[in-house]
Amino acid sequence: METLKLQDICTDIFAGAALFSNDNLSRDYQNGGYRVIRLADIQNNEIYFKDCLFFNKHDYKKNRYLLQDNDILTSSRGTIFKVAIYYREGSYKTIPSGFLTCIRLKLELNISANYVAAYLRHKENSIIIANAKNIKKTDDKKPRIQLKLSDIYNIEIPLVSSKIQKKIDKLSSEATDYLKQNIQKTKEIEKIIKCNDINK
């Protein structure tokens, strides 16, 4: 099967914005600010926007990190290899943090973002092992991932048929809907318990 390097099917692959503790990220949005997606905001292959923080300083340089629909976000740092697809939610300008890498596919190639994201998750161990020289052990023995952009550029992506990609799109959509239903049900349970707190 023909394969192409990730860099050959992308218009851009870039590391997220470097943000520091003294940047004072806020839970409240101010006009002109940026919503920041952090590693912790990606759970179960989805982005949880409700816990995102905001970078509210005026900084035109942050515009180069603005996310677009169907951008794939992967963890380049941390102890867990995470992959999620960004879909615009709300009117906020949104950027990834420096622990994430953004992968932006070439639209003209008609390669499914769901397929590429699923393939990256499937090859997680191979990707980490191939770049073992960039992995450090933490105090609790968990490996700490440190993927460079060059590591991500060279990941080989098999070119599967459009039929297979459409099937993955359908299954991904169904999985997302199922997850959202579960989250909604969990919220309803929490609301009921809160309203009927027996410890009151």
Side-chain angles (χ1 to χ4, degrees):
M1 181 180 295
E2 183 184 0
T3 64
L4 285 175
K5 290 183 178 179
L6 201 52
Q7 64 180 343
D8 295 327
I9 63 173
C10 292
T11 59
D12 202 359
I13 299 175
F14 60 89
L19 298 167
F20 305 98
S21 56
N22 60 357
D23 283 326
N24 295 321
L25 296 181
S26 170
R27 290 206 169 274
D28 299 313
Y29 172 75
Q30 295 177 16
N31 189 35
Y34 300 85
R35 178 172 55 188
V36 179
I37 297 177
R38 302 159 298 158
L39 199 54
D41 298 319
I42 297 177
Q43 302 172 34
N44 301 316
N45 303 328
E46 297 287 334
I47 300 170
Y48 284 72
F49 292 101
K50 68 181 182 68
D51 291 327
C52 287
L53 300 177
F54 295 91
F55 177 84
N56 288 315
K57 295 180 182 177
H58 178 69
D59 185 354
Y60 72 92
K61 293 180 180 178
K62 293 291 186 292
N63 288 335
R64 73 172 302 274
Y65 301 103
L66 289 176
L67 292 173
Q68 300 176 11
D69 274 347
N70 290 311
D71 280 348
I72 301 169
L73 297 177
T74 69
S75 52
S76 52
R77 300 287 185 274
T79 57
I80 303 175
F81 186 68
K82 297 183 178 183
V83 183
I85 299 174
Y86 171 78
Y87 297 108
R88 187 175 180 85
E89 190 274 343
S91 58
Y92 302 116
K93 295 182 292 183
T94 304
I95 61 174
S97 73
F99 276 39
L100 294 168
T101 295
C102 176
I103 297 168
R104 185 168 296 157
L105 300 175
K106 293 178 180 177
L107 294 178
E108 64 270 22
L109 294 181
N110 291 316
I111 297 176
S112 163
N114 283 313
Y115 162 61
V116 174
Y119 184 77
L120 292 173
R121 291 186 199 107
H122 172 68
K123 300 299 287 185
E124 171 185 348
N125 289 336
S126 298
I127 292 169
I128 291 173
I129 291 170
N131 299 287
K133 61 183 181 297
N134 297 320
I135 295 178
K136 297 180 179 179
K137 288 290 184 79
T138 59
D139 292 338
D140 56 2
K141 307 298 183 183
K142 291 182 179 178
R144 182 166 292 282
I145 303 165
Q146 292 188 346
L147 294 175
K148 298 180 295 186
L149 286 178
S150 57
D151 300 325
I152 296 171
Y153 292 156
N154 293 316
I155 296 172
E156 297 277 349
I157 304 293
L159 299 183
V160 298
S161 68
S162 58
K163 181 179 179 180
I164 291 175
Q165 293 186 52
K166 287 178 181 177
K167 185 173 183 178
I168 290 173
D169 283 342
K170 181 176 182 293
L171 291 171
S172 295
S173 177
E174 290 173 354
T176 298
D177 290 342
Y178 180 75
L179 181 62
K180 287 179 179 177
Q181 289 174 15
N182 280 347
I183 292 171
Q184 184 58 40
K185 289 176 182 177
T186 300
K187 287 180 179 178
E188 289 176 10
I189 291 170
E190 290 174 351
K191 185 176 180 180
I192 292 170
I193 291 173
K194 185 176 181 180
C195 291
N196 297 275
D197 190 347
I198 60 174
N199 293 320
K200 286 183 178 179

